[in-house]
Amino acid sequence: MKTAHTQNVARRGRRYGSAVAGVLAFDGLVHLYWATGATWPAADARALSLAVLGMEAPFTPRVVVPLAALLLTGAGAVLAYSRGRGGRVARLVTGAVAGGLAVRGLAGVGWVAGLVAGPADGPFHTLNLLLYTPVCLGLAWAAARLYASPVRVTG
């Protein structure tokens, strides 16, 4: 019989997993969209690159499809782990997702604080400050909580 605490941990784990997986899947699908040559929400490939990366880089299928695959795989593993599926592999991927998001979030803090070299102005600076860094840090926290859950999360 499950205790109330165990049920709460499981519900919280499913929420964390759904949130992290949802954002990663959305990002993966956006990368697949960009692989078609579309540049929304930017006017052109250069503007997209400057907004997303803060520098000029190609948004070709050769570049964005592997990123999409990585994001979608991470989303699937996190969702599976949050439902008590996927075993050790899903748990390890969830930990890797937490670590990767934490590194990106901390790098964003470094850029904002001027501790790490990066674009000082332009759309990337604003998006990094208001969107990329807070989302990465929040998702890193959620994925880490899921990974470190003391109670096996089950569906």
Side-chain angles (χ1 to χ4, degrees), residues 4-20 78 81-83 141-154:
H5 174 71
T6 302
Q7 290 173 337
N8 286 338
V9 169
R11 270 194 299 275
R12 186 172 55 231
R14 286 190 300 274
R15 282 195 312 267
Y16 292 161
S18 294
V20 173
V78 169
Y81 184 65
S82 73
R83 280 13 183 211
W141 177 85
R145 288 285 307 245
L146 177 61
Y147 175 80
S149 178
V151 177
R152 182 186 158 127
V153 178
T154 59

Side-chain angles (χ1 to χ4, degrees), residues 103-131:
V103 167
R104 169 55 185 90
L106 292 173
V109 170
W111 287 323
V112 169
L115 302 174
V116 178
D121 58 3
F124 175 81
H125 181 76
T126 303
L127 288 168
N128 180 58
L129 176 64
L130 300 177
L131 180 65

Side-chain angles (χ1 to χ4, degrees), residues 49-77:
S49 181
L50 292 174
V52 173
L53 300 171
M55 62 183 178
E56 288 190 51
F59 272 72
T60 61
R62 185 176 174 182
V63 173
V64 295
V65 169
L67 292 172
L70 188 65
L71 289 161
L72 293 169
T73 299

